[in-house]
Amino acid sequence: MDLSREVFASLRRSDQRRTADQYLRGMLTAPGRKTARNLATHSGQPAAEQRFHHFIASSGWDWRPVREALAHFLERTAPPAAWVVRPFTLPKTGERLVGIDRRWVPELGRTVNGQFGYGLWQTSSSGEIPVNWHLDLPESLLGDPAERARAGVPAEYAAPVSPEDSTVTTALELPLRRASAYRPVVVDARRAALGTLLHRFEAARVPLLARISGTTRVPADGSGQSGVRQESVMARQLLSSAGVRRPVTRADGCRMAVTLRVGLPTGAGEPGGHRRPGKSGERLLLGEWFGPQAAPDRLWLTDLTTAPLSALLRLTELAGRHASAAASEDSPESGSVGRSGLHDYGGRSFAGWHRHMTMVSVARAVRTLAPREPAGPDVGGPLAQGRPPGPWVHPRPHRRTAAVPV
């Protein structure tokens, strides 16, 4: 079954499915911004602009079954090596767009006016494809019932959400894992409540690799014994005083790495800071060095405690491997046909934003899985099969099987 027919099968009416296919073709062929006007103009049917606009802003189709269908299609055609939750920042100039906010972005070193949230990206040997999206809603919108109604924000999204809850929701709200092999989720937990993240993923029995701050405190002896009071030290201090670092060769330039077996960080595990007894509290601490300094450049915590170092480093590399290229391709300044339209939704509708981002995901999937197709590909035709990297199978993480790339 071709991608278009499969992912849009949940759209109840045939005219919706036909419009979805035409809209997708436009996203794949039109250069520049992926707006309804531009897609209609470059598809040779300018009269379709209003229909395209209605399809995204107010058609009423549910984006969640489409994303679920896309994820299952990708599991079959390009099985993931891992899932990566990555925050996004979409700079905007308007003041009335859905989710618009001003906040300090540490990675950019400046305050940005824009939309903020999280994306769940499937990573495989074929590339990275986003399969789920979460849009942060500012308190100015959430606290104003009239504005919420104007944006069409459903009741279940009307309460403030913490970074850790946003991360968990983005990663786990789609039933992605029908296959017997569970892939790990990679997240950046440096600005989130680490204990909540660890507990939620453990409860869901999903393997986790979390980037942590060097100031995260872990038991000094690494025993993780229940009921025993332990001294704790900062993770970077523990890694700096660790044994011999192992030299590695990586595409991103990492030259040294070391792992240590530790207990759960102080205050992590169950809500309220209580740690479960036994081996469920055992974690592996990973440090990566890009130079000769004592403190590691990047630190990670994972429950994949039996994974080889090479497999863990492969996962950390996946976390950022395609990010720069994707950001460059999708920048507003790019006029390339290859842009997916990540920055291009300019409406006030919450559902419209999610429908647009869903179409972005489908378009990115077509481009990623059929990179050698000429402009104007036959979306209705079959796509090339993706080939995942060979898995390392974790024996029993949370009593499930996890596949980790070598």
Side-chain angles (χ1 to χ4, degrees):
M1 179 182 290
D2 63 80
L3 182 145
S4 180
R5 187 183 306 119
E6 182 169 337
V7 300
F8 298 131
S10 62
L11 276 62
R12 293 189 297 272
R13 303 200 312 267
S14 60
D15 62 312
Q16 288 180 323
R17 296 190 293 273
R18 184 167 54 252
T19 299
D21 188 76
Q22 293 171 348
Y23 194 97
L24 178 58
R25 290 173 184 270
M27 294 189 78
L28 294 169
T29 57
R33 301 187 66 212
K34 311 304 183 185
T35 61
R37 174 175 297 181
N38 197 30
L39 300 189
T41 300
H42 284 87
S43 66
Q45 34 182 344
E49 177 186 350
Q50 187 59 35
R51 178 162 53 87
F52 284 174
H53 176 78
H54 174 78
F55 175 72
I56 294 296
S58 53
S59 178
W61 57 274
D62 189 347
W63 62 87
R64 283 160 291 207
V66 177
R67 294 180 187 176
E68 182 180 344
L70 175 61
H72 292 320
F73 179 90
L74 295 175
E75 281 191 343
R76 189 176 68 253
T77 59
W83 306 95
V84 180
V85 178
R86 184 178 293 129
F88 65 77
T89 299
L90 304 178
K92 300 285 184 178
T93 56
E95 297 181 355
R96 304 290 292 178
L97 305 179
V98 63
I100 204 74
D101 195 10
R102 284 184 64 82
R103 66 173 66 171
W104 172 262
V105 181
E107 291 77 12
L108 300 178
R110 59 187 174 90
T111 299
V112 175
N113 188 78
Q115 295 167 326
F116 306 88
Y118 296 82
L120 177 66
W121 297 71
Q122 181 218 268
T123 65
S124 72
S125 60
S126 301
E128 283 202 342
I129 300 170
V131 294
N132 199 27
W133 301 97
H134 169 84
L135 177 64
D136 283 348
L137 298 176
E139 293 184 9
S140 57
L141 171 63
L142 295 176
D144 188 333
E147 283 296 318
R148 289 205 313 272
R150 191 173 294 114
V153 177
E156 62 265 31
Y157 296 95
V161 182
S162 65
E164 54 275 8
D165 284 338
S166 297
T167 299
V168 171
T169 299
T170 306
L172 301 181
E173 72 175 345
L174 294 181
L176 298 176
R177 298 165 178 81
R178 286 181 178 171
S180 59
Y182 270 36
R183 266 63 179 185
V185 174
V186 183
V187 305
D188 188 338
R190 288 174 294 173
R191 297 181 183 89
L194 181 60
T196 298
L197 280 177
L198 296 176
H199 172 65
R200 296 279 296 277
F201 278 94
E202 183 178 30
R205 297 183 177 181
V206 174
L208 178 68
L209 177 67
R211 187 173 179 184
I212 63 172
S213 167
T215 58
T216 300
R217 303 190 72 85
V218 296
D221 64 2
S223 66
Q225 295 178 27
S226 175
V228 177
R229 181 176 178 81
Q230 299 170 304
E231 296 297 326
S232 63
V233 298
M234 290 189 294
R236 67 186 177 202
Q237 179 182 345
L238 191 60
L239 286 169
S240 298
S241 60
V244 178
R245 302 171 194 171
R246 293 175 57 181
V248 293
T249 301
R250 289 269 303 278
D252 61 5
C254 177
R255 291 293 177 265
M256 293 288 190
V258 69
T259 58
L260 293 173
R261 198 173 293 268
V262 299
L264 277 181
T266 301
E270 300 288 351
H274 300 293
R275 182 163 50 81
R276 287 183 179 182
K279 291 191 176 181
S280 65
E282 197 171 66
R283 296 293 188 272
L284 204 64
L285 182 64
L286 167 65
E288 296 180 282
W289 283 261
F290 296 87
Q293 71 281 357
D297 293 282
R298 297 192 302 197
L299 298 88
W300 304 82
L301 193 70
T302 181
D303 52 4
L304 295 167
T305 54
T306 62
L309 177 60
S310 59
L312 295 176
L313 291 176
R314 174 64 174 160
L315 284 177
T316 68
E317 189 177 2
L318 283 174
R321 188 171 103 192
H322 304 279
S324 298
S328 174
E329 173 190 282
D330 268 312
S331 67
E333 292 77 20
S334 171
S336 167
V337 171
R339 289 187 64 228
S340 297
L342 196 64
H343 296 258
D344 295 341
Y345 182 71
R348 302 182 183 183
S349 164
F350 177 82
W353 184 89
H354 275 284
R355 294 189 193 107
H356 173 81
M357 297 301 279
T358 300
M359 297 303 294
V360 167
S361 293
V362 179
R364 179 69 71 87
V366 174
R367 290 197 176 281
T368 301
L369 298 183
R372 295 182 179 85
E373 290 287 339
D378 180 8
V379 179
L383 297 175
Q385 296 288 311
R387 289 292 181 265
W392 169 80
V393 180
H394 181 55
R396 291 182 66 83
H398 307 309
R399 298 183 296 278
R400 300 272 182 151
T401 300
V404 180
V406 174

